C-alpha cells in the first residue's frame, strides 16, 4: 500500500499489505468513545480526527487532532495498558483510515522502527498537551477565545457551541464574551458567522497573560 508507507514510512519493514481495506467515514462520525475498549490504532490516510475529553456534565475539551501521518496518543496508551479509552474521537471531515488491530499493534512493537515511531508520537503529543495545560491554567478564557478566533481569515463560519466545545466551556459564556468583543469593535456577529474587524486588538488581548504571573502565583483562569 504505497500511500500508507508514504505517510508512515516506519511500516516499510513490517507487513502492512495484510491489513485489509481502509475505511471511509463521513464528517461527524464517532470513531471511538470514552470508557470503551480500544479496537485498534487508527492510521489516518486522509481527513482528520478530533480527540476530545468529555466531562460528566457533557462539556468537551479538545486535546489534539490526528491527521494523515499522525498517531493517536489516546489509542496507543489504551493498547499499551489494556485500559478503556479516556477520550473520544470524531471525524471533523470525510476521513479515510486504516485500523491496526490490537494483536498486530503488539507484534509490531517488537520492531524498533515502529516502536520508535510510537514513542516519538508520545513525545510530540505530550508537548502539545503541556501547552494546552498552560493555556487552561494560566490564560484567561476570554484570551483563549481571542486566540481561537485568529488565523482563520476575515470571517469564521462557526457556531458559538463549536467554540465552546473547543475551549472546554459552555455556549452561554462564549456568547457573552463574543458580545463583549463586538461592543469593543473587534468582531461583528451574525448567524453562525463571526467577522474579524480588528485582528490586532484580538491578538494583543490573546497574548496579554499567556505567561503572566503575579506575586501570589499564577493568574487563575476566568470561567
Amino acid at each position: 500500500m504505497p500511500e500508507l508507507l508514504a505517510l508512515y514510512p516506519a511500516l516499510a519493514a513490517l507487513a502492512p499489505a495484510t491489513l485489509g481495506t481502509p475505511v471511509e467515514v463521513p464528517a461527524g462520525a464517532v470513531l471511538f468513545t470514552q470508557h470503551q475498549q480500544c479496537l485498534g490504532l487508527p492510521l489516518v490516510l486522509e481527513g482528520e480526527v478530533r480527540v476530545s475529553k468529555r466531562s460528566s456534565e457533557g462539556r468537551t475539551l479538545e486535546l489534539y487532532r490526528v491527521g494523515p501521518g499522525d498517531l493517536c496518543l489516546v489509542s496507543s496508551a489504551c493498547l499499551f495498558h489494556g485500559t478503556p479509552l479516556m477520550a473520544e474521537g470524531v471525524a471533523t471531515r470525510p476521513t479515510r483510515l486504516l485500523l491496526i488491530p490490537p494483536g498486530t499493534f503488539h507484534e509490531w512493537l517488537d520492531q524498533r522502527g515502529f516502536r520508535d515511531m510510537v514513542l516519538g508520537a508520545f513525545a510530540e503529543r505530550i508537548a502539545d498537551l503541556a501547552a494546552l495545560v498552560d493555556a487552561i491554567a494560566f490564560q484567561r478564557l476570554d484570551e483563549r477565545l481571542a486566540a481561537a478566533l485568529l488565523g482563520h481569515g476575515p470571517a469564521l463560519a462557526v457556531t458559538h457551541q463549536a467554540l465552546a466545545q473547543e475551549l472546554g466551556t459552555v455556549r452561554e459564556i462564549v456568547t457573552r464574551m463574543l458580545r463583549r468583543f463586538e461592543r469593543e469593535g473587534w468582531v461583528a456577529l451574525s448567524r453562525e458567522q463571526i467577522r474579524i474587524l480588528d485582528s490586532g486588538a484580538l491578538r494583543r488581548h490573546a497574548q496579554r497573560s499567556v505567561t503572566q504571573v503575579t506575586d501570589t502565583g499564577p493568574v487563575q483562569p476566568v470561567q
Side-chain angles (χ1 to χ4, degrees), residues 89-117:
V90 178
T92 62
R93 63 189 72 163
T95 297
R96 191 160 55 91
L97 56 88
L98 197 62
L99 192 66
I100 306 302
T104 303
F105 174 84
H106 286 288
E107 289 177 9
W108 286 3
L109 283 177
D110 292 333
Q111 301 296 322
R112 180 174 178 178
F114 181 74
R115 186 168 62 248
D116 288 349
M117 180 178 72

Short mmCIF file of all heavy atoms in Angstrom, two decimals, residues 89-117:
data_model
loop_
_atom_site.label_atom_id
_atom_site.label_comp_id
_atom_site.label_asym_id
_atom_site.label_seq_id
_atom_site.Cartn_x
_atom_site.Cartn_y
_atom_site.Cartn_z
N GLY A 89 -13.06 10.15 19.83
CA GLY A 89 -12.54 10.60 18.54
C GLY A 89 -13.67 10.78 17.55
O GLY A 89 -14.47 9.87 17.34
N VAL A 90 -13.72 11.96 16.92
CA VAL A 90 -14.77 12.29 15.96
C VAL A 90 -14.12 12.84 14.69
O VAL A 90 -13.23 13.70 14.76
CB VAL A 90 -15.75 13.33 16.53
CG1 VAL A 90 -16.82 13.70 15.50
CG2 VAL A 90 -16.40 12.81 17.81
N ALA A 91 -14.56 12.36 13.53
CA ALA A 91 -14.04 12.87 12.26
C ALA A 91 -14.54 14.29 12.03
O ALA A 91 -15.74 14.55 12.13
CB ALA A 91 -14.48 11.96 11.12
N THR A 92 -13.64 15.21 11.75
CA THR A 92 -14.04 16.60 11.50
C THR A 92 -14.40 16.84 10.04
O THR A 92 -14.97 17.88 9.71
CB THR A 92 -12.91 17.56 11.89
OG1 THR A 92 -11.76 17.30 11.06
CG2 THR A 92 -12.53 17.39 13.35
N ARG A 93 -14.05 15.89 9.18
CA ARG A 93 -14.32 15.99 7.75
C ARG A 93 -14.34 14.57 7.20
O ARG A 93 -13.99 13.63 7.92
CB ARG A 93 -13.25 16.83 7.05
CG ARG A 93 -11.85 16.23 7.13
CD ARG A 93 -10.78 17.17 6.64
NE ARG A 93 -10.55 18.25 7.59
CZ ARG A 93 -9.47 19.01 7.59
NH1 ARG A 93 -8.54 18.81 6.66
NH2 ARG A 93 -9.31 19.96 8.48
N PRO A 94 -14.77 14.35 5.97
CA PRO A 94 -14.70 12.99 5.41
C PRO A 94 -13.29 12.42 5.57
O PRO A 94 -12.31 13.05 5.19
CB PRO A 94 -15.08 13.20 3.94
CG PRO A 94 -15.95 14.41 3.95
CD PRO A 94 -15.38 15.31 5.02
N THR A 95 -13.21 11.25 6.17
CA THR A 95 -11.92 10.70 6.59
C THR A 95 -11.77 9.25 6.13
O THR A 95 -12.73 8.48 6.19
CB THR A 95 -11.77 10.78 8.12
OG1 THR A 95 -11.78 12.17 8.51
CG2 THR A 95 -10.49 10.15 8.61
N ARG A 96 -10.57 8.93 5.70
CA ARG A 96 -10.24 7.55 5.31
C ARG A 96 -9.10 7.09 6.20
O ARG A 96 -8.09 7.79 6.35
CB ARG A 96 -9.83 7.50 3.84
CG ARG A 96 -9.71 6.11 3.25
CD ARG A 96 -9.81 6.19 1.72
NE ARG A 96 -8.83 7.12 1.21
CZ ARG A 96 -7.59 6.79 0.83
NH1 ARG A 96 -7.21 5.51 0.91
NH2 ARG A 96 -6.76 7.67 0.36
N LEU A 97 -9.28 5.92 6.79
CA LEU A 97 -8.28 5.44 7.74
C LEU A 97 -8.19 3.92 7.72
O LEU A 97 -9.08 3.23 7.23
CB LEU A 97 -8.59 5.94 9.15
CG LEU A 97 -9.97 5.61 9.74
CD1 LEU A 97 -9.96 4.28 10.43
CD2 LEU A 97 -10.42 6.69 10.70
N LEU A 98 -7.09 3.44 8.28
CA LEU A 98 -6.85 2.01 8.43
C LEU A 98 -6.73 1.72 9.92
O LEU A 98 -6.06 2.46 10.65
CB LEU A 98 -5.55 1.63 7.72
CG LEU A 98 -5.30 0.17 7.40
CD1 LEU A 98 -6.37 -0.37 6.45
CD2 LEU A 98 -3.92 0.01 6.76
N LEU A 99 -7.41 0.70 10.40
CA LEU A 99 -7.39 0.36 11.82
C LEU A 99 -6.46 -0.83 12.06
O LEU A 99 -6.68 -1.92 11.53
CB LEU A 99 -8.80 0.03 12.30
CG LEU A 99 -8.97 -0.07 13.82
CD1 LEU A 99 -8.74 1.28 14.48
CD2 LEU A 99 -10.37 -0.59 14.16
N ILE A 100 -5.40 -0.60 12.85
CA ILE A 100 -4.45 -1.66 13.18
C ILE A 100 -4.98 -2.44 14.38
O ILE A 100 -5.14 -1.87 15.46
CB ILE A 100 -3.06 -1.07 13.52
CG1 ILE A 100 -2.57 -0.16 12.40
CG2 ILE A 100 -2.06 -2.19 13.78
CD1 ILE A 100 -2.47 -0.82 11.06
N PRO A 101 -5.30 -3.72 14.24
CA PRO A 101 -5.85 -4.50 15.37
C PRO A 101 -4.89 -4.55 16.54
O PRO A 101 -3.66 -4.44 16.37
CB PRO A 101 -6.06 -5.89 14.76
CG PRO A 101 -6.08 -5.68 13.28
CD PRO A 101 -5.17 -4.52 13.01
N PRO A 102 -5.40 -4.71 17.76
CA PRO A 102 -4.54 -4.75 18.95
C PRO A 102 -3.43 -5.79 18.85
O PRO A 102 -2.28 -5.52 19.23
CB PRO A 102 -5.52 -5.08 20.08
CG PRO A 102 -6.83 -4.53 19.61
CD PRO A 102 -6.84 -4.75 18.14
N GLY A 103 -3.74 -7.00 18.37
CA GLY A 103 -2.72 -8.03 18.28
C GLY A 103 -1.58 -7.63 17.35
O GLY A 103 -0.39 -7.85 17.66
N THR A 104 -1.93 -7.03 16.22
CA THR A 104 -0.91 -6.58 15.27
C THR A 104 -0.08 -5.45 15.88
O THR A 104 1.14 -5.40 15.71
CB THR A 104 -1.57 -6.10 13.97
OG1 THR A 104 -2.36 -7.16 13.42
CG2 THR A 104 -0.54 -5.67 12.95
N PHE A 105 -0.75 -4.54 16.59
CA PHE A 105 -0.03 -3.44 17.25
C PHE A 105 1.05 -3.97 18.18
O PHE A 105 2.19 -3.52 18.15
CB PHE A 105 -1.04 -2.58 18.02
CG PHE A 105 -0.41 -1.50 18.85
CD1 PHE A 105 -0.07 -0.27 18.29
CD2 PHE A 105 -0.18 -1.69 20.21
CE1 PHE A 105 0.51 0.74 19.06
CE2 PHE A 105 0.39 -0.69 20.99
CZ PHE A 105 0.73 0.52 20.41
N HIS A 106 0.72 -4.97 18.98
CA HIS A 106 1.70 -5.51 19.94
C HIS A 106 2.81 -6.29 19.22
O HIS A 106 3.97 -6.25 19.66
CB HIS A 106 0.98 -6.40 20.95
CG HIS A 106 0.19 -5.63 21.97
ND1 HIS A 106 0.78 -4.90 22.97
CD2 HIS A 106 -1.15 -5.45 22.11
CE1 HIS A 106 -0.15 -4.31 23.70
NE2 HIS A 106 -1.33 -4.62 23.19
N GLU A 107 2.47 -6.96 18.13
CA GLU A 107 3.51 -7.65 17.35
C GLU A 107 4.49 -6.63 16.77
O GLU A 107 5.72 -6.83 16.80
CB GLU A 107 2.87 -8.46 16.23
CG GLU A 107 2.12 -9.70 16.70
CD GLU A 107 1.46 -10.41 15.54
OE1 GLU A 107 1.74 -10.03 14.37
OE2 GLU A 107 0.65 -11.31 15.79
N TRP A 108 3.96 -5.54 16.24
CA TRP A 108 4.81 -4.53 15.60
C TRP A 108 5.69 -3.81 16.61
O TRP A 108 6.74 -3.29 16.25
CB TRP A 108 3.94 -3.53 14.86
CG TRP A 108 3.36 -4.07 13.59
CD1 TRP A 108 3.51 -5.34 13.09
CD2 TRP A 108 2.57 -3.37 12.64
NE1 TRP A 108 2.84 -5.48 11.91
CE2 TRP A 108 2.26 -4.28 11.60
CE3 TRP A 108 2.06 -2.07 12.58
CZ2 TRP A 108 1.48 -3.91 10.50
CZ3 TRP A 108 1.30 -1.69 11.49
CH2 TRP A 108 1.01 -2.61 10.46
N LEU A 109 5.28 -3.76 17.87
CA LEU A 109 6.11 -3.10 18.88
C LEU A 109 7.47 -3.78 19.05
O LEU A 109 8.41 -3.16 19.56
CB LEU A 109 5.38 -3.05 20.23
CG LEU A 109 4.28 -2.01 20.38
CD1 LEU A 109 3.61 -2.14 21.74
CD2 LEU A 109 4.82 -0.59 20.19
N ASP A 110 7.58 -5.04 18.63
CA ASP A 110 8.86 -5.73 18.70
C ASP A 110 9.86 -5.20 17.66
O ASP A 110 11.06 -5.45 17.78
CB ASP A 110 8.68 -7.23 18.49
CG ASP A 110 7.93 -7.89 19.66
OD1 ASP A 110 8.02 -7.34 20.77
OD2 ASP A 110 7.27 -8.92 19.43
N GLN A 111 9.33 -4.46 16.67
CA GLN A 111 10.19 -3.88 15.63
C GLN A 111 10.60 -2.46 16.04
O GLN A 111 9.76 -1.63 16.35
CB GLN A 111 9.46 -3.85 14.29
CG GLN A 111 9.01 -5.21 13.81
CD GLN A 111 10.18 -6.13 13.52
OE1 GLN A 111 11.21 -5.69 13.01
NE2 GLN A 111 10.02 -7.41 13.86
N ARG A 112 11.90 -2.22 16.02
CA ARG A 112 12.42 -0.95 16.52
C ARG A 112 11.84 0.25 15.78
O ARG A 112 11.51 1.27 16.39
CB ARG A 112 13.95 -0.93 16.43
CG ARG A 112 14.55 0.36 16.94
CD ARG A 112 16.06 0.31 16.96
NE ARG A 112 16.60 1.58 17.42
CZ ARG A 112 17.90 1.81 17.59
NH1 ARG A 112 18.79 0.86 17.32
NH2 ARG A 112 18.31 2.98 18.01
N GLY A 113 11.72 0.16 14.45
CA GLY A 113 11.22 1.30 13.69
C GLY A 113 9.83 1.71 14.11
O GLY A 113 9.55 2.90 14.30
N PHE A 114 8.93 0.73 14.25
CA PHE A 114 7.56 1.04 14.67
C PHE A 114 7.54 1.54 16.11
O PHE A 114 6.84 2.50 16.43
CB PHE A 114 6.68 -0.20 14.53
CG PHE A 114 5.25 0.03 14.92
CD1 PHE A 114 4.40 0.74 14.09
CD2 PHE A 114 4.76 -0.46 16.13
CE1 PHE A 114 3.08 0.96 14.46
CE2 PHE A 114 3.44 -0.24 16.50
CZ PHE A 114 2.60 0.47 15.66
N ARG A 115 8.31 0.89 16.97
CA ARG A 115 8.36 1.31 18.38
C ARG A 115 8.86 2.76 18.51
O ARG A 115 8.30 3.55 19.27
CB ARG A 115 9.26 0.36 19.17
CG ARG A 115 9.26 0.62 20.67
CD ARG A 115 9.94 -0.52 21.41
NE ARG A 115 11.34 -0.66 21.04
CZ ARG A 115 11.84 -1.69 20.36
NH1 ARG A 115 11.06 -2.68 19.97
NH2 ARG A 115 13.13 -1.76 20.06
N ASP A 116 9.89 3.11 17.73
CA ASP A 116 10.40 4.48 17.77
C ASP A 116 9.36 5.47 17.26
O ASP A 116 9.25 6.59 17.77
CB ASP A 116 11.67 4.60 16.93
CG ASP A 116 12.87 3.92 17.59
OD1 ASP A 116 12.76 3.56 18.78
OD2 ASP A 116 13.90 3.75 16.90
N MET A 117 8.57 5.07 16.26
CA MET A 117 7.53 5.95 15.74
C MET A 117 6.48 6.21 16.81
O MET A 117 6.04 7.35 17.00
CB MET A 117 6.88 5.33 14.50
CG MET A 117 5.78 6.19 13.88
SD MET A 117 5.05 5.47 12.39
CE MET A 117 4.10 4.11 13.09
#
